Amino acid sequence: MGVRVRTFLALAGIIAAVLAWVVIIISISVNPWFKITKNAFSDLGGPHAVDPWIYNYGLIITSVFVDLYSINLLINSRNKVESFASAFVLIAGLFLALIGIYHAGTRPHVFVSTWFFVQMDMALITWGIGSLMAGDRRTGLFSLILGVLSPIPAILIPWPSAAMEETYGILIIDVWVIVMTYKSLIR
């Protein structure tokens, strides 16, 4: 595989993170009724949204980059456990697309949106275990601790809105992707 392709796959996670925030910001800008302290981001793709296609198609396009990033993780995996973690990222990407397909107000929406975050958390935990098995203590502990501890505030804090809790979850994912991308690019 060429250097350009490997670099693109390594950067696909950063592209996905930036694209997700761009989609959210654009969707909020065309929906002035949206309040981060009252709503869920998925409301931006629901039946009451102005131009819900921006949010929904935006998530579907973003999911492509998440799945491309999972290929980068697979290429850089050092054992079967890390390879398994890359599969969780791939599945999370599929669930992200499903959030756009089953937008707010549809029956499977809560399930697919919850499972996006669950899959990513399982990826962090599994990558952490795999990294520890590979003898990479720093990455292993970082991923494992982030994956184990980050759900605690998500569950225990009485968040004022789903969007606030989603922001927290997205930022956790973004931090992990930034660190993993950096490690991937310096190899």
Side-chain angles (χ1 to χ4, degrees), residues 4 41-42 62 74 76 104 163 168:
R4 286 185 178 173
F41 285 137
S42 295
T62 301
L74 179 60
N76 288 297
Y168 167 75

Side-chain angles (χ1 to χ4, degrees), residues 116-117 120-121 124 146 168-178:
F116 164 73
F117 288 104
M120 282 305 297
D121 194 51
L124 271 64
L146 193 63
Y168 167 75
I170 294 166
L171 289 173
I172 293 294
I173 294 166
D174 290 350
V175 166
W176 186 75
V177 167
I178 290 166

